[in-house]
Amino acid sequence: MISLKPKLAKLFAKNVRKSILRWSNKPLETQQKVFRKLIKDANNTMFGKDHDFKCINSYNDFVKRVPIRDYEDLKPYVDKVVAGEENILWKGKPLYFAKTSGTTSGAKYIPLTKESMPTHVEAARNAILMYIAETGKSKFVDGKMIFLQGSPILEESNGIQLGRLSGIVAHYVPKYLQKNRMPSFETNCIEDWEAKVDAIVEETLPKNMTIISGIPSWVQMYFEKIQEKTGQKVGEVFKNFNLFIFGGVNYEPYRSKFENLIGRKVDSIELYPASEGFFAFQDSQNEKGMLLQLNSGIFYEFIEANTFFDDNPKRLMISDVKVGVNYVMIISTNAGLWAYNIGDTVEFTSTKPYRVIVSGRIKHFISAFGEHVIGKEVEQSLKEAIESSLVSVSEFTVAPQINPESGLPFHEWFIEFEKEPQDILSLAERIDASLQEQNSYYYDLIAGKVLQPLKITTVRKNGFQDYMKSIGKLGGQNKIPRLSNDRKIADAIYHQKLTK
């Protein structure tokens, strides 16, 4: 019997694409509309009254009244919402709190409201529909789809449910996808990540898997277990698997490893979801970057990253950004986050339409010597260094070595290889040359004999997994920072004897 679902998916995709083009072709008008509605809807909240929202008639008024905040700054308001008070950051109470692990504030509680929640689900759906509209491929909708995610079990406090974002979103999978979705609810509820992946392998092996999605590092564990169990490439086990959906980290460092595990190339879609909002998704297989979601109840501001820690950095609207500049992204949302610094840095790859790549974290950088090295630069350097070689990398992180036993300070790269290079010193030289080419500050420090070229320390197989397990962050949305300005991770790797 011929299924109607692929045909219906194509029709649906065509209509959704038209809708997306309408707002993406009018970006400034779209953002102004979002801005006005946010201010109007939050007029009578405690935050709105404290910041005189009734007198905000323009973006300049907003900038004067609402300073940039991170979670710590917003916490006094969030604490009131957590305590069950209404009309604090947004009208009424939120439906959920996405509970995340904060570095300075312990657990962070990010509100999700009845206005914001649908945008998370809609954006993920639209990413797949835009892929169908562009490529014409839709047969995969008849197969099974998997998303490696956190537990959907939720707690409740003062009438508000709380859990991990991916677990909350699991409750919103459309009915027409429920039969296709894997793993089962019971398997998704397993807390121990390794046991969960084992159970997912058992559940999915006999199935016709067509879409697999999740953070690359954890999908990699799933693929490795499938290969161990079957002795076959993932693409042989799942012959109709042709679409990988990912978010959270850059896929490029994993690409060669994945293609080896799968045994062939598959299409991929990149997403940019966070507890604070679903910000962007890859809308084209032929264009670089992800389409910024300007019509999802989020008003965006941007600050040039190299000025962010100045006393009064200039805040920019979408109309003022330029391609190729590293910006800190600031958001105001219909979940009640106002001029909120999510900590991410982005670069625009296009302004017609507005597409971004995630370049790193404003707190994840190395500038122990004034070099201002960011995540995008280390990922690009590694990618260029291993291109056209048999070298394959499973995971890596970078830290400064300020007090070496001898010689000048240097950047220490901790790399777990799938396939090791024959000449590790030559690989280090290639990475270093690429980094010097991208970052003039780093070049000057090397040329001026302030730093010596980087050094590679090899991490044993599964060393990074063991590190994440040791700090209670194995699986889910957790990931290794690409670089740190201190040696907290580096020292733990040495202390736990994770190097070769």
Side-chain angles (χ1 to χ4, degrees), residues 148-165:
L148 295 181
Q149 60 191 166
S151 171
I153 296 175
L154 304 177
E155 303 169 41
E156 187 171 309
S157 177
N158 296 315
I160 303 168
Q161 291 187 301
L162 56 113
R164 296 172 186 160
L165 174 67

Side-chain angles (χ1 to χ4, degrees), residues 279-439:
F279 303 124
F281 63 77
Q282 183 181 346
D283 66 313
S284 172
Q285 293 291 298
N286 303 311
E287 301 291 339
K288 186 180 181 184
M290 296 174 282
L291 185 70
L292 194 63
Q293 296 297 285
L294 303 175
N295 193 37
S296 294
I298 303 168
F299 177 72
Y300 298 91
E301 298 177 81
F302 302 90
I303 296 171
E304 289 191 26
N306 60 6
T307 69
F308 184 74
F309 294 106
D310 293 353
D311 288 340
N312 191 25
K314 185 171 178 58
R315 293 159 67 172
L316 305 172
M317 285 195 296
I318 194 83
S319 53
D320 302 314
V321 299
K322 296 175 183 175
V323 170
V325 176
N326 199 36
Y327 294 104
V328 178
M329 191 165 79
I330 308 297
I331 59 166
S332 298
T333 76
N334 55 8
L337 302 176
W338 299 103
Y340 186 84
N341 171 25
I342 61 168
D344 286 349
T345 58
V346 299
E347 282 186 19
F348 285 87
T349 58
S350 162
T351 54
K352 288 184 179 179
Y354 284 91
R355 291 194 181 100
V356 297
I357 57 170
V358 181
S359 52
R361 298 278 293 169
I362 193 62
K363 291 182 179 178
H364 289 175
F365 58 88
I366 297 180
S367 201
F369 309 93
E371 59 271 50
H372 307 294
V373 170
I374 62 173
K376 179 197 169 207
E377 291 167 346
V378 298
E379 289 177 336
Q380 183 66 22
S381 297
L382 182 60
K383 179 189 173 189
E384 289 180 4
I386 65 175
E387 268 177 347
S388 305
S389 77
L390 296 175
V391 176
S392 180
V393 171
S394 293
E395 194 62 270
F396 77 97
T397 192
V398 188
Q401 175 51 273
I402 299 171
N403 299 305
E405 290 181 7
S406 63
L408 295 170
F410 57 90
H411 285 188
E412 187 171 10
W413 286 57
F414 295 85
I415 304 180
E416 182 182 329
F417 291 101
E418 175 68 15
K419 288 184 180 175
E420 291 195 21
Q422 289 184 329
D423 186 346
I424 206 157
L425 291 176
S426 176
L427 176 63
E429 286 172 4
R430 293 199 300 274
I431 297 172
D432 203 78
S434 176
L435 195 53
Q436 287 186 52
E437 192 175 325
Q438 292 183 75
N439 187 307

Side-chain angles (χ1 to χ4, degrees), residues 131-142:
Y131 170 81
I132 292 172
E134 182 185 46
T135 66
K137 298 174 183 176
S138 62
K139 287 183 180 178
F140 62 80
V141 301
D142 276 334

Side-chain angles (χ1 to χ4, degrees), residues 97-115:
F97 279 116
K99 189 177 178 183
T100 67
S101 53
T103 50
T104 56
S105 25
K108 291 166 65 175
Y109 296 87
I110 306 298
L112 294 160
T113 63
K114 68 178 181 181
E115 290 82 8

